[in-house]
Amino acid sequence: MFDYFGWKPRPTVAARRRQAELEKAKLLKKGRAITPVTIQGRTIARTFWGKAWCGNLESYSDYANRLPRGRSYVRNGLVVHLEIAAGSISALVRGSSLYKVSIAIASVPRARWTSIRKDSGGAIDSIVELLQGRFPKAIMERISRQGDGLFPSPREIDLDCSCPDGAVMCKHVAAVLYGVGARLDEQPDLLFTLRRVDAQELISTVGTHTRLTSKAPSSAKVLEESNLSELFGLQLAERPALRGPKRVAKKGAKPKASAIASLKGTRATKKGPAKKKR
């Protein structure tokens, strides 16, 4: 059905949602394994990795015009399928039709990865803490640093969509890129797969390089809430204050007078009062 000017009316959001659900049902009926992007509420990403991916995406002016429509698409469940592999992202997005999106992501240059490993050496103790985003502020900033970190820049991304839109980044591609942020909330290890690097290599460098932070891991594992909120909007539970180290007397040092008096009192109590001579 067309309007007076011959243009086909744009489907409503509700209609597109229904169409997306129908597409999912069709693919499942054909035996196709699909992994749709499901957003709860309006917040696309909630963890460090998801927020950092979306923050990196939004920092580039090249993408500014199409990102708002992409956010709307992913929030409304129109990314029917999304798959992340080594160096590539493939997806199906429901628009006026079902469109196929292919995104190629360049591998992290070896020199850059070596630099990240060197700067992170000794500050990350386990893969679990790494994937949970629980590491010092200096390491967080190094890994997510624009143009020199683990997240891709526009020149490292090759975009393609089967839709008729001639823009470099159409709304369907933008929806998929935001979908990646949501997927990293659930599977942060996929970022390392996507950039063709081994997260374990960040652990294997412990003790072999100079750390970006001089603080001990136990007291510097999690950023202060104010700093973390400023960077990525994360909230952390309060941690109990750490007690200072006990002072140990130096070898050969003379005890203080108060300590001697206290010691004498203790000895007198143990031996009891002295006996009077007869």
Side-chain angles (χ1 to χ4, degrees):
M1 181 179 178
F2 294 84
D3 62 12
Y4 179 79
F5 298 99
W7 295 98
K8 188 176 181 180
R10 181 177 296 174
T12 63
V13 171
R16 283 181 174 162
R17 284 179 180 172
R18 289 193 297 271
Q19 291 168 349
E21 292 302 320
L22 289 173
E23 295 291 355
K24 292 176 189 177
K26 289 179 183 178
L27 292 169
L28 290 172
K29 190 174 181 180
K30 292 178 181 179
R32 173 78 179 271
I34 61 171
T35 51
V37 177
T38 304
I39 305 296
Q40 300 296 334
R42 293 186 57 82
T43 303
I44 295 174
R46 301 176 184 276
T47 69
F48 161 67
W49 292 109
K51 284 177 177 286
W53 173 273
C54 294
N56 177 73
L57 182 65
E58 293 168 351
S59 67
Y60 295 104
S61 59
D62 310 47
Y63 301 154
N65 294 335
R66 294 305 177 101
L67 289 179
R69 292 294 302 278
R71 286 194 292 268
S72 175
Y73 266 56
V74 74
R75 283 170 178 157
N76 285 293
L78 301 185
V79 181
V80 175
H81 171 67
L82 187 147
E83 184 176 353
I84 299 174
S88 67
I89 302 164
S90 56
L92 297 172
V93 181
R94 179 68 207 198
S96 300
S97 298
L98 186 65
Y99 297 118
K100 183 178 180 180
V101 175
S102 299
I103 303 173
I105 306 289
S107 303
V108 174
R110 202 65 207 170
R112 187 197 304 178
W113 179 239
T114 299
S115 178
I116 293 174
R117 290 175 56 197
K118 180 179 179 181
D119 292 342
S120 304
I124 301 173
D125 294 336
S126 73
I127 288 292
V128 173
E129 290 185 334
L130 172 65
L131 297 182
Q132 289 178 346
R134 296 176 55 233
F135 39 88
K137 178 181 177 182
I139 301 301
M140 178 181 289
E141 291 177 340
R142 178 64 187 89
I143 290 178
S144 59
R145 193 159 68 196
Q146 186 176 4
D148 193 28
L150 201 55
F151 298 96
S153 62
R155 58 186 171 81
E156 295 175 311
I157 305 176
D158 186 18
L159 311 171
D160 182 65
C161 180
S162 62
C163 76
D165 193 335
V168 175
M169 175 186 280
C170 64
K171 51 187 174 290
H172 313 110
V173 167
V176 171
L177 287 173
Y178 272 116
V180 173
R183 187 59 52 80
L184 292 181
D185 270 1
E186 305 167 0
Q187 297 174 271
D189 56 301
L190 288 176
L191 175 63
F192 297 89
T193 299
L194 181 62
R195 300 312 309 273
R196 299 177 187 268
V197 291
D198 184 3
Q200 187 65 44
E201 292 181 359
L202 291 175
I203 310 302
S204 64
T205 57
V206 171
T208 62
H209 300 293
T210 304
R211 292 160 53 111
L212 284 177
T213 174
S214 58
K215 294 182 180 180
S218 59
S219 62
K221 275 298 165 200
V222 183
L223 287 178
E224 293 182 2
E225 185 175 348
S226 59
N227 294 333
L228 196 55
S229 177
E230 181 180 348
L231 281 174
F232 299 106
L234 297 179
Q235 294 182 354
L236 295 175
E238 294 183 0
R239 297 171 64 87
L242 297 176
R243 296 180 179 178
K246 294 182 179 180
R247 295 184 178 179
V248 180
K250 295 181 179 179
K251 189 175 181 180
K254 294 182 179 180
K256 293 183 179 180
S258 58
I260 295 175
S262 175
L263 183 60
K264 286 182 177 180
T266 302
R267 289 177 177 174
T269 303
K270 288 182 178 180
K271 290 184 178 181
K275 293 182 179 181
K276 293 182 180 180
K277 294 181 181 181
R278 294 181 180 178

